[in-house]
Amino acid sequence: MTARRRMLDAMLFRRPDRVPLQPGGGRRSTLEAWHAQGLPADVLDYNEYAYRLAGGTLPWPVADSRFRVNERLIPIFDEKVIEERPDSRVVQELERQHLRNRQGVYGRASARRD
Amino acid sequence: MTRRWIKCPVENRKDWEDLQRRYDADDPTRLPADAAALGARLADREGYLQLHFSGPFWQLREWVGFEGLCTLFHDDPGLVREMIAFWESHIARLLRRAFERVIPDEVHLSEDMAYKCFSMISPAMTREFILPTWKRWGEIVRGAGVPVYGMDSDGFIGELIPLWIEAGINMCDPIEVAAGNDLPAFRRRFGRAMAYRGGVDKRAMARGGRAIEDEIARLRPVIDDGGFVPSCDHGVPSDVAWPDYVRYVGLLAKATGWL
């Protein structure tokens, strides 16, 4: 059964051969901690690696397919420093709009304290 | 580093009118450069394909800020409706353009419109302002033959799910347990009208040991019932130790038939 069919069957209350195994995604700080705790730095897919460590032997499914549709501003705002202050910086910036690596699209001025 | 927003993209009607010029849904670069060929290749794909879009609440919050949007619903509901209609039209056009090239397995909206205990705007206000757009997009999605219409929102979603079901949405995520979302209770309440992704308490993953065993056991009836892909209920936080994560993956693999 393909990964696609397995996910569709799960989402649509049919009976896949197995429920998709999608443990989750670590934040950058999480990955930094895991590397210090034993996750090798050269491991690309830590979920498959964890599955193998847990004794899993089944073929790991293919990644999701991609077809990107850009809903954002075209053109986007330029990122630029508007004002330097003694203790902060006013910046027109791009904003990350989505937790799953979509980039936001508008300019904002923000006071940033480094 | 801390940051504070001091200006949002839309603070008056002129800002709004200027911003609209940057949303040409027919701009060819909004789809992949090789959209026709890519779409043809994806017709026989093995991987699940989602298309992601921002919902009206999310997008207006991006334009005017969270507090600005909440007050705007009260102070200038006409402008709110105008902005929602604009975004609805923009995304509807993008959906139609994309569907000319490929029919995905899922169209997934992001709203993030709930606090820990309640929706950020009331269900009644959501029904009045937002639901019609979700419905009309849903008609396009269903009309194209897309089987899964999904919704993402952090926070407590129990009072939003009925509206999502009414809109034709049939999957939601990430079902944060810390916000009081009780997945077995949702299944009893909403039956098979809603499928779920997520729902595994990240706090139990951090505690590890018996706590994560109990958490997987709690979810087991829903896993077995179907319409549920268990996963961490948000990004995995750094207080989840790597050995505990490996243990969690092993428990999840057993519960889902991978071990």
Side-chain angles (χ1 to χ4, degrees), chain B residues 151-169:
Chain B
M151 173 64 74
D152 170 280
S153 181
D154 299 343
F156 177 69
I157 57 172
E159 56 187 1
L160 289 169
I161 290 176
L163 294 167
W164 295 343
I165 291 171
E166 191 174 332
I169 290 164

Side-chain angles (χ1 to χ4, degrees), chain A residues 18-74:
Chain A
R18 295 179 290 280
V19 175
L21 181 58
Q22 298 189 345
R27 301 174 183 279
R28 181 185 299 178
S29 59
T30 307
L31 292 179
E32 289 171 356
W34 287 355
H35 287 143
Q37 294 164 1
L39 172 65
D42 60 349
V43 169
L44 296 178
D45 189 333
Y46 51 81
N47 280 320
E48 179 181 6
Y49 188 74
Y51 172 62
R52 301 297 175 213
L53 287 178
T57 57
L58 293 170
W60 195 248
V62 300
D64 285 354
S65 298
R66 294 187 182 279
F67 185 96
R68 187 173 177 277
V69 181
N70 180 6
E71 68 179 18
R72 304 176 301 166
L73 296 167
I74 298 176

Side-chain angles (χ1 to χ4, degrees), chain A residues 2-15 17-27 29-30 33-34 37-40 46-47 49-51 53-77 85 90 93-100 102 104-114, chain B residues 1-7 9 19 22-23 27 29-32 35 38 42-43 45-54 58-59 61-62 87 90-91 94 98 101-102 105 108 110 147-148 152 170-171 173 187 192 194-197 223-232 234-238 240-242 245-246 248-250 252-253 256-259:
Chain A
T2 66
R4 177 192 182 196
R5 177 52 55 190
R6 187 175 291 126
M7 177 60 83
L8 279 171
D9 282 357
M11 292 288 92
L12 300 174
F13 293 87
R14 299 191 292 244
R15 290 291 167 192
D17 58 348
R18 295 179 290 280
V19 175
L21 181 58
Q22 298 189 345
R27 301 174 183 279
S29 59
T30 307
W34 287 355
Q37 294 164 1
L39 172 65
Y46 51 81
N47 280 320
Y49 188 74
Y51 172 62
L53 287 178
T57 57
L58 293 170
W60 195 248
V62 300
D64 285 354
S65 298
R66 294 187 182 279
F67 185 96
R68 187 173 177 277
V69 181
N70 180 6
E71 68 179 18
R72 304 176 301 166
L73 296 167
I74 298 176
I76 59 175
F77 289 106
R85 297 176 178 172
V90 178
E93 65 176 20
L94 303 178
E95 168 78 318
R96 284 197 181 281
Q97 194 178 13
H98 194 281
L99 291 172
R100 291 172 190 148
R102 275 199 295 165
V105 288
Y106 55 82
R108 273 182 172 177
S110 66
R112 180 184 296 175
R113 189 183 302 274
D114 293 313
Chain B
M1 182 183 74
T2 58
R3 63 181 60 193
R4 177 173 62 89
W5 307 125
I6 57 178
K7 187 179 187 309
L19 196 70
R22 297 177 187 249
Y23 289 104
D27 187 311
T29 65
R30 292 196 180 279
L31 298 188
L38 177 59
L42 288 172
R45 61 187 176 271
E46 292 192 2
Y48 190 74
L49 177 61
Q50 297 171 288
L51 299 187
H52 297 275
F53 297 96
S54 299
W58 178 296
Q59 188 57 44
R61 179 176 51 204
E62 297 290 313
W87 191 245
H90 180 67
I91 297 302
L94 290 177
R101 301 303 185 191
V102 67
D105 301 302
H108 186 251
S110 295
V148 182
D152 170 280
N170 61 349
M171 192 289 299
D173 61 19
R187 178 52 52 85
R192 294 187 167 189
M194 184 62 75
Y196 307 94
R197 276 195 304 253
I223 296 172
D224 292 343
D225 189 46
F228 177 40
V229 175
S231 184
C232 183
H234 208 281
V236 181
S238 59
V240 177
W242 172 245
Y245 190 74
V246 173
Y248 152 69
V249 171
L252 198 64
T256 53
W258 289 76
L259 274 178

Side-chain angles (χ1 to χ4, degrees), chain B residues 64-130:
Chain B
V64 305
F66 178 43
E67 291 180 16
L69 175 58
C70 289
T71 55
L72 200 64
F73 273 108
H74 179 271
D75 294 341
D76 195 348
L79 180 57
V80 170
R81 292 183 202 283
E82 182 181 327
M83 297 172 93
I84 290 174
F86 178 85
W87 191 245
E88 178 184 317
S89 174
H90 180 67
I91 297 302
R93 176 64 186 142
L94 290 177
L95 286 169
R96 291 191 173 96
R97 285 189 63 200
F99 294 164
E100 290 172 2
R101 301 303 185 191
V102 67
I103 303 301
D105 301 302
E106 176 179 336
V107 168
H108 186 251
L109 305 180
S110 295
E111 289 288 21
D112 269 357
M113 58 181 300
Y115 296 113
K116 183 174 181 179
C117 297
F118 298 99
S119 173
M120 288 176 173
I121 58 174
S122 71
M125 189 174 275
T126 303
R127 171 180 295 283
E128 178 183 352
F129 284 90
I130 312 289

